[in-house]
């Protein structure tokens, strides 16, 4: 009797954890919300598609990758913009569009996550990886050509920090 009860409890706990795992589509939902903010409430499907393609021309990072997956870029291999624009024209919520429409067509949609932002005021640059130091400089649009040592990257970031740290604070 105790074994049966134990098995039943284990089965229910497994079911409960699998049902509780709702996949988060961070980048997808963010892009759809940004797009909605730029569109009128009664936007038609073709209007939404045009605005999305305009958005994709300026997109960078994970948002650009999302555009590639959905078909908003000229280099995209697939074209599933209709799966996004049609439900948007109905007023369907962003999370439902991402999970119920786009995820069925391309399983990579919800794998996209934004990269963590590095707070340059509090971080110890010596503890960061060269990859992260390189990313800071590339985000600033600075060249890393000719840099080989970690100390080169740190020196350049420290040198440029006043210029870009003040710029980022004024953007907020």
């Amino acid at each position: 009797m105790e074994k049966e009860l134990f098995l039943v409890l284990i089965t229910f706990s497994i079911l409960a954890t699998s049902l509780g795992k709702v996949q988060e589509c961070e980048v997808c939902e963010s892009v759809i919300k940004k797009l909605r903010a730029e569109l009128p409430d009664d936007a038609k499907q073709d209007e939404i598609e045009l605005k999305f393609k305009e958005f994709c021309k300026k997109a960078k990072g994970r948002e650009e990758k999302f555009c590639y997956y959905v078909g908003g870029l000229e280099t995209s291999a697939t074209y599933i913009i209709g799966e996004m624009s049609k439900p948007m024209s109905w007023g369907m919520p962003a999370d439902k569009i991402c999970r119920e429409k786009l995820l069925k067509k391309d399983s990579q949609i919800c794998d996209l996550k934004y990269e963590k932002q590095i707070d340059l005021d509090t971080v110890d640059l010596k503890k960061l990886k060269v990859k992260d130091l390189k990313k800071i400089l590339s985000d600033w649009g600075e060249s890393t050509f000719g840099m080989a040592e970690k100390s080169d990257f740190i020196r350049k970031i420290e040198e440029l920090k006043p210029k870009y740290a003040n710029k980022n604070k004024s953007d907020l």
Side-chain angles (χ1 to χ4, degrees), residues 146-164:
M147 293 186 205
E149 299 294 322
K150 187 174 187 174
S151 59
D152 297 336
F153 290 95
I154 292 172
R155 194 176 315 107
K156 184 143 185 181
I157 290 171
E158 290 294 350
E159 179 184 310
L160 296 169
K161 196 186 227 180
K163 177 181 174 185
Y164 291 102

Side-chain angles (χ1 to χ4, degrees), residues 11 17 42 84 106 109 135 171:
T11 305
T17 53
D42 61 342
M84 177 190 68
D106 189 345
I109 295 284
K135 185 189 174 312
D171 288 345

Side-chain angles (χ1 to χ4, degrees), residues 2-53:
E2 286 180 25
K3 278 187 176 180
E4 292 170 353
L5 182 61
F6 181 71
L7 288 173
V8 169
L9 287 173
I10 296 232
T11 305
F12 280 122
S13 66
I14 290 171
L15 284 172
T17 53
S18 66
L19 291 174
K21 291 181 183 175
V22 175
Q23 190 162 11
E24 192 175 320
C25 301
E26 182 181 359
V27 176
C28 177
E29 290 177 31
S30 171
V31 168
I32 290 174
K33 287 175 184 173
K34 285 179 186 176
L35 199 57
R36 274 217 171 106
E38 295 179 17
L39 289 163
D41 292 336
D42 61 342
K44 303 284 183 240
Q45 185 176 349
D46 51 340
E47 237 182 303
I48 295 168
E49 289 180 14
L50 283 172
K51 196 68 166 176
F52 180 66
K53 288 180 181 177

Side-chain angles (χ1 to χ4, degrees), residues 27-132:
V27 176
C28 177
E29 290 177 31
S30 171
V31 168
I32 290 174
K33 287 175 184 173
K34 285 179 186 176
L35 199 57
R36 274 217 171 106
E38 295 179 17
L39 289 163
D41 292 336
D42 61 342
K44 303 284 183 240
Q45 185 176 349
D46 51 340
E47 237 182 303
I48 295 168
E49 289 180 14
L50 283 172
K51 196 68 166 176
F52 180 66
K53 288 180 181 177
E54 281 178 34
F55 172 85
C56 288
K57 288 178 183 174
K58 296 178 248 164
K60 292 188 190 259
R62 299 293 188 231
E63 291 176 350
E64 182 181 28
K65 198 167 238 180
F66 173 77
C67 287
Y68 176 80
Y69 290 160
V70 176
L73 299 174
E74 291 179 15
T75 58
S76 297
T78 59
Y79 190 84
I80 57 172
I81 294 177
E83 296 294 323
M84 177 190 68
S85 61
K86 193 179 243 181
M88 277 183 75
S89 68
W90 304 332
M92 184 181 275
D95 62 322
K96 284 192 170 231
I97 294 171
C98 295
R99 287 189 201 95
E100 293 177 12
K101 302 291 182 184
L102 297 176
L103 188 61
K104 287 179 183 174
K105 296 290 181 180
D106 189 345
S107 61
Q108 300 175 79
I109 295 284
C110 289
D111 291 340
L112 291 172
K113 305 282 182 234
Y114 284 111
E115 298 162 355
K116 62 179 185 206
Q117 296 297 313
I118 299 169
D119 184 9
L120 291 173
D121 295 330
T122 59
V123 75
D124 182 3
L125 294 174
K126 293 175 188 152
K127 291 185 178 180
L128 292 178
K129 295 179 180 178
V130 172
K131 176 184 171 186
D132 295 327

